[in-house]
Amino acid sequence: MRTTFLRTAAAALAVFPALLLAAPAAPAAPAATAASPSPSASGTPAPANKAGTSFLTAVNLAPGQDAKVDVSTGDYLYWAFGAAEGRTAKVDLTVSLAPSADRHGPQTWNVEVFDGLRRRQSCTDGTQNATAEQAAGSLALSCTLREVRSWAEPWSGDPLPGTYYVRLSVGDAPQPDLGLAAAVQLRVTAKGDEDNAQPEGGELKAPLVPPVGGGAATAKAAAPEEPEDHWYTGWFSGWNSRWFWTLGGGVLAALAGVAGYTLTRHPRGRRPARYGSVPPQSGAPQPGPYAGSGQS
């Protein structure tokens, strides 16, 4: 029986290589280039085709990425981009308006730029407000920010490294024109070098907004600092430290209570005389049950 088992095992081992050779080959995996084609021939990212409606939903733009969005007249549009110290950012927008036959009058569009603290930043150059007459087909807006500084005083509104927000809105338009289709093209460019960042002698520990997505890719994030340890650090940390402090505080409170009671109850350190007792007087007979027995 043992010989039969060995023969069967040997036959199975001999057939196993043949089964492997007869198995169909797995289909070849597709090439990586076919699965993830490059966004463009030049290597720049494809333009963003969306826009946010608030600061929280602003669409992040990667460095060198443009935006081409179909919008409705009257909507608030938000984009976000990152800026590092020493760089001077410029925002250019082109708004393609609805056909003049569908409009009922001139339209005024506004562009604003905010920093990571949502403070409105002033523009040193460019047209922030533009009005297009009814016959015009488009209008152009631009805003050139001040050079981003490495640090600034708390009271100043200097641009600091971090995320910046672009808001495009309609300042004035006829009521029937609100909701008409329009198209917006946005481009953000930056020039300068972070080695030229001013003023010297200071550095921001972290950007105004932590890097999130592509909008803050150019802003440098500082590594988290480890907390400094002291000889008393362990006294105020740990799950059981509060019990030690509670017991210690209770003991000190009890001692303070005993000391206060002693000082207020016995201020001179001796017991007072019994209530109603009269101190003895010299030369006077002592009161007692036999006070008159001395007379003869």
Side-chain angles (χ1 to χ4, degrees), residues 149-247:
R149 309 177 71 172
S150 58
W151 69 281
E153 298 294 340
W155 47 264
S156 66
D158 295 333
L160 296 173
T163 300
Y164 286 78
Y165 299 91
V166 179
R167 181 171 70 183
L168 179 64
S169 61
V170 177
D172 185 21
Q175 186 69 23
D177 292 353
L178 299 179
L180 293 178
V184 176
Q185 295 184 7
L186 169 67
R187 169 167 292 184
V188 179
T189 57
K191 63 180 181 179
D193 189 2
E194 65 179 79
D195 295 336
N196 299 328
Q198 297 293 333
E200 298 293 340
E203 183 178 359
L204 191 67
K205 290 185 176 180
L208 295 183
V209 173
V212 178
T218 59
K220 297 191 301 182
E225 297 182 358
E226 295 294 336
E228 187 177 357
D229 294 333
H230 301 278
W231 60 271
Y232 54 83
T233 302
W235 292 11
F236 300 93
S237 61
W239 65 272
N240 56 354
S241 61
R242 61 176 182 174
W243 298 108
F244 297 151
W245 284 101
T246 301
L247 292 176

Side-chain angles (χ1 to χ4, degrees), residues 77-181:
L77 309 175
Y78 290 82
W79 294 272
F81 66 94
E85 60 267 20
R87 308 283 287 177
T88 301
K90 182 181 180 182
V91 179
D92 294 302
L93 297 105
T94 302
V95 182
S96 300
L97 303 174
S100 58
D102 298 336
R103 304 203 307 269
H104 299 79
Q107 295 182 4
T108 302
W109 290 66
N110 307 322
V111 60
E112 300 169 284
V113 181
F114 301 83
D115 61 8
L117 299 179
R118 300 181 185 179
R119 301 176 302 182
R120 187 177 182 273
Q121 292 293 319
S122 59
C123 301
T124 60
D125 190 17
T127 304
Q128 294 184 257
N129 308 310
T131 302
E133 300 297 333
Q134 184 175 357
S138 63
L139 56 85
L141 299 169
S142 63
C143 175
T144 302
L145 294 176
R146 294 173 293 170
E147 180 180 342
V148 178
R149 309 177 71 172
S150 58
W151 69 281
E153 298 294 340
W155 47 264
S156 66
D158 295 333
L160 296 173
T163 300
Y164 286 78
Y165 299 91
V166 179
R167 181 171 70 183
L168 179 64
S169 61
V170 177
D172 185 21
Q175 186 69 23
D177 292 353
L178 299 179
L180 293 178

Side-chain angles (χ1 to χ4, degrees), residues 39-69:
S40 63
S42 60
T44 58
N49 57 1
K50 294 182 180 180
T53 56
S54 65
F55 287 101
L56 298 178
T57 60
V59 175
N60 292 311
L61 300 178
Q65 184 181 19
D66 298 337
K68 295 181 179 181
V69 186

